[in-house]
Amino acid sequence: MRANLVSSIAVTCAAALALPLSLATPAAALQPGAPTKPTAVPTVVDPAAPAAPPVVDPAEREAAPAAAASETDVAGSTQSLPLAPLGNGRRAIGSAAGAAQGLARRDVRPFSLVGVVWDDVQAHLHGTVQVRTRATGSADWSAWQNVEIHNDDHGADPGTVEAAGSVRGATAPLWVGDSDGVEVRVQPDRYEELTAEAEPLPAGLRIELVDPGPEPAADPGPRTRVGYGAPTAHRAPTVEEAAATSVNAHLAPVGTAAIPAAAAAAKPYIGPRPKIITRKGWGANEKLRKGGFVYTKAVKAAFVHHSATGNNYTCKQAPSVLRSIYRYHTQSSGWRDFGYNFAVDKCGNIYEGRAGGVAKPVHGAHTLGFNTNSMGIAVLGTYSSTTPPAAAVNAVAKLTAWKLGLHGVNPKGKTTLVSAGGKYKKGKKVTFNSIAGHRDGFATACPGARLYGKLGTARTTSAKYQGRP
């Protein structure tokens, strides 16, 4: 019998929105896990699960361009490189499975975000993952940086369409900025002191190097005449783009880059709607996600996360960080869309996350076991030892005052959710704060000790925005 395993898993987060119940999803609203068709009215149930993407695993896989580029398409790519045993790695007795794996220093095409994935989403990576990178145009290499490891602390709930797709195990993504060189090492844990054996690493380890592409071009507005002839018409939106924007049409013109702030509703205890930068605003390529939207019944709680992508980004770069996470979630991890319902950057800007409508109960993939009747908010950065900016905490308060208010939820109150499996047995009723941390729903360090410590402030401020005593 081998000794108990010593795990150095640095569990983190990485990876359900609503109107008042009378105005939310129509009677045909689906149960979590069943997508709707991507039409201008995306609430029609499609009983067929969307086809899973094929598993592509050559020596080097690059995410194919979504389709023929047009003048308003957002570029981006993913380089996927297999890891191999390192010459200086200690091997498990009788097996090469426990050998350290990695990638020697290598010149690559430019990228800005990294992560490690593996074949089996149920397999745990017991060990440490470290990378170092070289800034584009520089000869200097960064110090080794730890990549936070996670597997089953977030993601789609068991039994849903999303969980049944080609989902892979994955670390948290790490933002490293514009780089063109990379080196990786994955060191397995050792069993307890009674043996020198190493934990076997999961099969199919690969480093994913994500290029978010350039910023989306600003909408020039109606085209003007140049010389003689009719003005040039705008490119017609794709089906995916039309679906993603039409669900917010009651809040802002279709295709807008941001939903404007609005005064508090006449109904008591609904906070003012904050400004929300739309998916179009941060440049989401709608062809990367699965078709259709998945809704839950209500929004009874908000789970706050940190993205664990590091704090080395500027607020101007936040859209690039979002595009990178989105591509990593969909193309590398195999999720149907961006995992979180909303994101907040260090300057307090609020972004639309998973598609389906900011005022609707969109079913996300953020807190495994409790994605139903909840929403996930990711604060961009890592807040284990770094204090989150006051602007970010205040943005969480503003967003929850509005969104939870649509469902009559008191941000300082409690709510009960039913577990879909994970930390708590399936079917178990669990009581949470209405604004909870990811660690409340799963055994994880997310949203980081420093951000978790600010959730009390967020609850109090959110209630004040709702006009509660």
Side-chain angles (χ1 to χ4, degrees):
M1 296 293 291
R2 71 182 189 182
N4 292 333
L5 301 181
V6 175
S7 172
S8 66
I9 299 178
V11 189
T12 184
C13 61
L17 318 171
L19 286 169
L21 294 179
S22 61
L23 299 177
T25 315
L30 20 148
Q31 296 299 316
T36 60
K37 294 180 180 179
T39 63
V41 185
T43 50
V44 179
V45 176
D46 180 358
V55 177
V56 181
D57 191 30
E60 178 176 342
R61 171 179 58 79
E62 178 172 352
S70 71
E71 60 181 304
T72 57
D73 281 339
V74 177
S77 64
T78 301
Q79 300 169 72
S80 184
L81 307 175
L83 303 188
L86 294 175
N88 59 353
R90 295 175 60 190
R91 296 182 180 276
I93 295 174
S95 172
Q101 294 188 33
L103 186 74
R105 286 190 180 186
R106 179 180 295 197
D107 295 339
V108 293
R109 294 186 300 279
F111 66 97
S112 295
L113 179 140
V114 304
V116 170
V117 302
W118 53 94
D119 295 340
D120 184 359
V121 71
Q122 300 299 327
H124 296 269
L125 197 167
H126 296 287
T128 57
V129 177
Q130 294 181 309
V131 300
R132 57 181 171 187
T133 56
R134 183 188 62 210
T136 298
S138 170
D140 298 327
W141 286 76
S142 72
W144 284 104
Q145 299 184 74
N146 289 320
V147 180
E148 293 200 42
I149 300 171
H150 63 77
N151 184 41
D152 55 358
D153 63 332
H154 72 291
D157 289 336
T160 62
V161 171
E162 186 163 6
S166 298
V167 184
R168 303 177 185 90
T171 68
L174 177 69
W175 176 262
V176 294
D178 190 14
S179 306
D180 62 6
V182 66
E183 184 176 6
V184 189
R185 62 188 184 194
V186 181
Q187 178 66 48
D189 283 342
R190 300 287 154 186
Y191 297 153
E192 291 192 9
E193 62 275 5
L194 298 179
T195 176
E197 288 189 74
E199 280 283 355
L201 294 174
L205 287 171
R206 309 181 72 85
I207 180 75
E208 303 285 291
L209 308 176
V210 181
D211 170 21
E215 294 301 312
D219 188 346
R223 303 294 176 87
T224 56
R225 292 178 185 271
V226 179
Y228 298 101
T232 303
H234 284 292
R235 175 184 66 87
T238 65
V239 171
E240 297 88 353
E241 290 169 342
T245 58
S246 64
V247 287
N248 293 317
H250 60 297
L251 302 177
V254 171
T256 188
I259 296 169
K267 184 178 179 180
Y269 306 138
I270 298 179
R273 186 182 71 227
K275 176 184 175 181
I276 302 172
I277 298 169
T278 64
R279 289 169 64 89
K280 180 178 176 61
W282 55 263
N285 183 342
E286 298 298 344
K287 297 171 186 174
L288 296 182
R289 63 178 174 83
K290 303 287 197 306
F293 309 126
V294 181
Y295 296 102
T296 184
K297 292 181 179 179
V299 177
K300 299 170 63 177
F303 285 100
V304 178
H305 306 247
H306 65 180
S307 64
T309 46
N311 303 314
N312 189 27
Y313 75 94
T314 66
C315 293
K316 185 177 180 180
Q317 291 175 317
S320 293
V321 176
L322 289 171
R323 292 197 303 278
S324 298
I325 297 174
Y326 173 48
R327 182 174 282 274
Y328 185 74
H329 282 179
T330 58
Q331 306 303 292
S332 300
S333 302
W335 298 0
R336 65 174 295 109
D337 194 353
F338 191 85
Y340 311 106
N341 299 107
F342 294 95
V344 171
D345 68 24
K346 63 176 70 174
C347 292
N349 298 306
I350 300 172
Y351 302 85
E352 176 184 19
R354 180 162 288 210
V358 298
K360 293 192 175 187
V362 179
H363 196 273
H366 49 83
T367 306
L368 188 144
F370 296 102
N371 290 308
T372 297
N373 295 336
S374 71
M375 68 175 182
I377 304 169
V379 181
L380 298 182
T382 303
Y383 297 105
S384 301
S385 58
T386 300
T387 300
V393 177
N394 193 52
V396 171
K398 287 181 176 180
L399 176 59
T400 52
W402 172 66
K403 194 61 185 289
L404 293 179
L406 293 176
H407 285 269
V409 176
N410 184 345
K412 293 193 298 184
K414 303 282 187 179
T415 191
T416 299
L417 300 176
V418 179
S419 174
K423 177 181 178 180
Y424 297 94
K425 184 178 179 181
K426 183 177 181 179
K428 181 178 177 59
K429 294 182 178 180
V430 184
T431 299
F432 297 99
N433 288 310
S434 298
I435 299 177
H438 185 189
R439 64 172 63 180
D440 297 322
F442 203 91
T444 172
C446 184
R450 296 294 182 89
L451 178 54
Y452 190 77
K454 293 293 184 180
L455 295 187
T457 299
R459 295 181 193 109
T460 301
T461 305
S462 181
K464 289 180 178 178
Y465 280 126
Q466 285 189 350
R468 295 180 183 273

